[in-house]
Amino acid sequence: MEYRYYLFDFDYTLANSEKGITGCFHTTLAHFGYDDVPDEAIRKTIGLPMEEAICRLTGLQETAAVENFLSFYRKEADKNMTPNTHFYPETLPLLRAIRAAGAKSAIISTKTRRRIMEKFLLDGVEDLIDFVIGCEDVKTLKPSPEGILAACRRFGAIKKEVLYTGDNTVDAEAARAAGVPFAAVLTGTTERKDFEALPHVKIMKNLGELIK
């Protein structure tokens, strides 16, 4: 492996959870009497902080209203998110290859650590990740570099030995702010041209290209 430490985003990078996310949004919008929105509009918010996604999709601005929406959404997610989240075919082989090479891996995501670990535990592959830094573990979310820098400290890593991989420009911006190399994967809604304008070492169709 080219690097010693591999850091990943989760949604649209390691796993596809759009069925769970869109379903929870549709149900929550209906509960509060909002007009429904197309799946594509919801998909474009995946990877953003939940508060920002809610504001974009509902127009809400007041903190209390956003929190009320999010509270109901989380109850729906407790029932429906993990069963509707699926690793990409390349994900587990990649994580196993990282392990076999003696390298380390971790996740830095705007999703909660608890929700991410639910998926790894459900599939019995929690040993493939050293740790997860979720939204509850940082004060500032991506594009802030806080999560990436925390992972570097936890590993005791030199930045040039670290690669962060994600599917969104906020991931690229976070990597740039942290001073670590970035690899983009096109399994989300962000297009190649958007990544080309930001620092990167690789733009990949899928994670399988990371070990080729």
Side-chain angles (χ1 to χ4, degrees):
M1 306 295 289
E2 187 176 352
Y3 297 89
R4 292 185 63 191
Y5 306 96
Y6 289 82
L7 310 181
F8 298 94
D9 176 49
F10 185 72
D11 286 325
Y12 277 154
T13 299
L14 295 177
N16 187 336
S17 55
E18 67 177 46
K19 183 177 180 182
I21 293 171
T22 55
C24 289
F25 260 113
H26 289 311
T27 302
T28 308
L29 287 165
H31 174 80
F32 286 103
Y34 290 100
D35 291 336
D36 202 9
V37 297
D39 283 356
E40 184 61 21
I42 299 172
R43 289 181 70 240
K44 289 180 178 178
T45 69
I46 294 176
L48 298 176
M50 275 300 300
E51 291 82 359
E52 183 177 345
I54 291 167
C55 291
R56 288 192 183 190
L57 294 170
T58 65
L60 288 171
Q61 297 296 327
E62 296 180 3
T63 300
V66 172
E67 286 298 321
N68 194 33
F69 188 101
L70 182 54
S71 178
F72 185 89
Y73 176 99
R74 283 174 173 157
K75 292 176 183 176
E76 289 299 305
D78 284 340
K79 296 181 288 186
N80 299 310
M81 188 64 69
T82 300
N84 288 296
T85 298
H86 307 286
F87 288 121
Y88 288 113
E90 301 82 12
T91 296
L92 299 184
L94 170 62
L95 295 178
R96 290 187 177 107
I98 290 170
R99 274 283 186 268
K104 303 287 187 179
S105 59
I107 295 170
I108 294 89
S109 174
T110 56
K111 209 178 191 81
T112 64
R113 169 173 28 86
R114 177 176 68 87
R115 189 78 66 206
I116 292 169
M117 285 309 302
E118 276 182 6
K119 177 58 180 171
F120 278 87
L121 289 165
L122 179 67
D123 287 29
V125 291
E126 64 273 17
D127 60 316
L128 296 181
I129 288 287
D130 287 279
F131 57 84
V132 176
I133 295 177
C135 62
E136 69 268 54
D137 300 313
V138 297
K139 293 180 180 178
T140 55
L141 300 172
K142 295 178 292 185
S144 164
E146 182 182 348
I148 294 174
L149 293 175
C152 291
R153 289 193 300 271
R154 191 162 170 178
F155 277 133
I158 300 170
K159 290 182 180 180
K160 67 180 181 180
E161 298 177 333
V162 177
L163 180 70
Y164 184 56
T165 300
D167 68 282
N168 196 296
T169 54
V170 297
D171 299 314
E173 290 164 356
R176 176 169 62 180
V180 304
F182 174 73
V185 63
L186 301 177
T187 39
T189 59
T190 305
E191 298 181 6
R192 178 180 293 271
K193 62 181 176 60
D194 298 314
F195 287 122
E196 288 174 344
L198 293 164
H200 61 274
V201 296
K202 185 177 287 190
I203 300 176
M204 307 172 290
K205 184 177 179 181
N206 60 58
L207 284 176
E209 297 179 36
L210 200 59
I211 53 176
K212 286 183 179 179

